[in-house]
Amino acid sequence: AKFWTAVGDRPTGFGLPTPVPWFAPPYGTQQAALMFDLSFEPLYEEPLILVAAPAHPLALAHRVRRPARARRRAVAAPPAGVRLTLRQVAAYPMILPDAGTIVRSSLDPLLLAGGVLRPPRLIETLSAPFARQLVASSDAVWFCMPGVVMQDLADGQLVALDLDLGATRRSVGLSLRADAQPGAAAAEMADLLRAQARRVRAGQARE
């Protein structure tokens, strides 16, 4: 199944009230074609994570990763020595970025290496609101960037499953127009984002 989000004149799947602008990561092939006049400044790197609802069978039966700033109630107690595999994950609906996106291109080889040629119940979407609602209300699992669900993890609305996705590490950064200097407000916002990125990198160095 494929659930489209609003990009230009593309339809919005399931009547979602919050469309995702074309410049929001992860970039798809269609969106990337529109980025020829943008510059990209890498700020930090992070791998994808796999999230599920706190009551999901995988969250109850397997170790759950605890983000540094997540509350203790977002963590399920793990059985000793139990590790999650992609084959186990594939038994549930899997929410992935659209095929052709940069993030998806880093995830597909990992799925293949884990014996998942094509997830039997695959949901493709770039809409974080849709994916968040589906995961919270079903047994679906969602491969996403940590920053997208940081608050959900901290609030205990979602949990991060202990699956090694280090091979999916990608840059998170700042896109600016290449042919113009940013205005004062945009420049100030960019400086705030750079400062936040420095804190993220410092936190990663301590882990």
Side-chain angles (χ1 to χ4, degrees):
K2 183 179 290 290
F3 305 94
W4 293 109
T5 56
V7 179
D9 58 357
R10 285 167 58 184
T12 300
F14 278 75
L16 295 174
T18 307
V20 176
W22 69 266
F23 51 82
Y27 302 114
T29 51
Q30 179 178 355
Q31 296 94 316
L34 303 174
M35 293 177 57
F36 62 89
D37 59 348
L38 297 179
S39 64
F40 180 73
E41 176 185 343
L43 296 178
Y44 61 93
E45 292 186 346
E46 61 182 4
L48 293 175
I49 59 174
L50 178 64
V51 299
H56 193 286
L58 293 179
L60 298 176
H62 295 273
R63 184 167 57 186
V64 176
R65 298 175 58 238
R66 182 176 187 270
R69 288 187 287 179
R71 298 176 184 173
R72 192 171 298 276
R73 63 191 176 94
V75 183
V82 175
R83 298 302 301 269
L84 186 61
T85 68
L86 282 169
R87 287 184 181 273
Q88 291 171 304
V89 173
Y92 298 91
M94 297 171 63
I95 305 175
L96 305 179
D98 286 351
T101 58
I102 294 175
V103 174
R104 178 67 177 275
S105 68
S106 69
L107 185 57
D108 281 344
L110 191 68
L111 294 175
L112 183 62
V116 182
L117 301 181
R118 180 172 177 80
R121 290 187 284 174
L122 174 63
I123 301 170
E124 295 178 308
T125 183
L126 297 181
S127 171
F130 169 74
R132 181 180 291 110
Q133 182 176 359
L134 182 60
V135 169
S137 60
S138 73
D139 63 349
V141 294
W142 179 20
F143 291 87
C144 62
M145 301 297 285
V148 177
V149 292
M150 180 183 301
Q151 193 60 50
D152 303 278
L153 296 172
D155 292 342
Q157 301 301 312
L158 299 175
V159 293
L161 303 180
D162 188 28
L163 183 67
D164 183 9
L165 295 173
T168 64
R169 183 173 294 274
R170 283 292 183 268
S171 291
V172 176
L174 185 63
S175 294
L176 297 169
R177 287 184 57 182
D179 60 349
Q181 292 296 319
E188 182 177 357
M189 174 60 74
D191 287 340
L192 291 173
L193 292 173
R194 294 184 184 105
Q196 178 63 25
R198 287 193 292 271
R199 289 190 285 270
V200 171
R201 293 196 302 269
Q204 290 175 338
R206 290 193 295 268
E207 291 180 355

